[in-house]
Amino acid sequence: MLREALDLAATPPQQRTAPTQPRWTLKRLVAWVKAHFDIDCCRDTLRKVLKRLGFSWKKAHKLLNKGQPAQRAAFLERLQVMLDEALHQRCLLVYIDEAHIHLDTDAGYGWAIRGERFWVSSSSPGRAKVSFYGVYLYNLAQVRVFAYDKADQFHTIDVLKRLRVEFPDVPLQPWAGLLSVVVVQSHRRLWNKDSLETRYFLSSLSVDAPSFARYIRAHWGIENQLHWCLDVVFNEDTSRIRTDHAPRNMSLLRRLALNFLRQEPSKGSLAMKRYRAGLDDQFMLQILKANIPLFDADSHSSF
């Protein structure tokens, strides 16, 4: 029964064949035992039985579904000339980015098998979300927020039109060093639907189409191999460290630890390696030895 509930909780919502049940707690188990076996028992008794059967009470970890990352607006290049002109009010410098807020599963706690992670499938994508554009006016140190049902190329154009109405006399400045305009059409085919996405890029490079294709694909490597890993392995997005130099210092330490874990040759995910290093000092020394050639694990056995 508990194992079936664990399997159902780790199944993506789109693939579930049965309705989601409330999390099994000792209170629910006491009532279930009474209803099915007509046995009165206390929670301490059930807790001992569950531990004897190999279960333990632990915090659930969110199991991410197959990603459907939203389109992200390209960051404006930090051109010193443009910043100087904005500083002297010769041009209006505007930063625009899109963001998405959605409801997601509350992982919480529950009974699970001892020694194994307790996975609960994320409900994202699939639940209601709100998209909006954040606009920062560099010269005025002001922020504008425009909410939409979704963020796409048509709403992006609408945001630009709003800015033109608000600042009709500001001349448009050509993109410095612009040499290429790239159009990419991505055809994605899934088992239940096909999608066609068109993306536009401005570049100061003058190269052929295959080179641009490699550069665009490599761009997502930064997200998949760094930012996504930092969020999943180190929960960087939920960090509350925000004062003085602490955020930058912790960011440097997270990236250093991530590189150390990647250099360790044993099998297993990065999250599992980090978890194992926290429990096993010898494995932590093995990670250090894999990254520091002159490190002698035998001489640091008491580390």
Side-chain angles (χ1 to χ4, degrees), residues 140-154:
L140 306 178
Q142 296 179 359
V143 175
R144 305 283 192 275
V145 177
F146 305 109
Y148 293 91
D149 293 335
K150 66 176 182 178
D152 55 21
Q153 63 267 33
F154 303 107

Side-chain angles (χ1 to χ4, degrees), residues 217-230:
R217 292 192 187 100
H219 167 76
W220 280 107
I222 303 174
E223 174 70 22
N224 297 332
Q225 298 179 19
L226 180 60
H227 299 305
W228 188 86
C229 291
L230 289 173

Side-chain angles (χ1 to χ4, degrees), residues 53-239:
L53 292 175
F55 293 92
S56 63
W57 183 259
K58 62 178 67 176
K59 180 175 176 58
H61 293 267
K62 193 176 299 180
L63 180 62
L64 298 180
N65 294 329
K66 187 174 182 180
Q68 295 179 355
Q71 296 180 359
R72 298 186 178 181
F75 291 99
L76 296 176
E77 288 185 332
R78 296 183 177 180
L79 301 177
Q80 189 61 43
V81 175
M82 184 177 293
L83 291 176
D84 292 339
E85 291 185 353
L87 181 63
H88 294 88
Q89 302 300 323
R90 290 195 293 266
C91 72
L92 178 65
L93 181 58
V94 180
Y95 292 85
I96 303 177
D97 198 2
E98 63 184 46
H100 311 275
I101 301 176
H102 59 81
L103 298 174
D104 206 346
T105 303
D106 182 12
Y109 289 79
W111 286 99
I113 301 173
R114 185 188 297 118
E116 296 184 11
R117 283 269 178 124
F118 177 18
W119 295 109
V120 176
S121 176
S122 169
S123 59
S124 173
R127 301 186 68 177
K129 69 177 182 179
V130 175
S131 300
F132 64 90
Y133 289 83
V135 179
Y136 176 67
L137 306 175
Y138 178 83
N139 307 52
L140 306 178
Q142 296 179 359
V143 175
R144 305 283 192 275
V145 177
F146 305 109
Y148 293 91
D149 293 335
K150 66 176 182 178
D152 55 21
Q153 63 267 33
F154 303 107
H155 292 146
T156 302
I157 294 175
D158 187 66
V159 171
L160 297 177
K161 288 181 178 179
R162 288 190 181 191
L163 293 175
R164 171 49 64 195
V165 172
E166 186 176 356
F167 304 99
D169 300 328
V170 177
L172 295 178
Q173 181 174 342
W175 192 277
L178 177 63
L179 294 178
S180 304
V181 178
V182 184
V183 181
V184 178
Q185 284 191 334
S186 302
H187 184 201
R188 187 183 183 194
R189 177 172 295 175
L190 301 177
W191 66 274
N192 59 345
K193 66 176 181 179
D194 288 358
S195 62
L196 183 64
E197 180 185 38
T198 303
R199 291 175 289 166
Y200 301 89
F201 298 87
L202 303 179
S203 175
S204 59
L205 297 177
S206 179
V207 296
D208 54 10
S211 298
F212 270 124
R214 290 196 301 271
Y215 300 152
I216 294 172
R217 292 192 187 100
H219 167 76
W220 280 107
I222 303 174
E223 174 70 22
N224 297 332
Q225 298 179 19
L226 180 60
H227 299 305
W228 188 86
C229 291
L230 289 173
D231 183 24
V232 173
V233 180
F234 294 95
N235 295 322
E236 187 175 60
D237 288 355
T238 59
S239 175

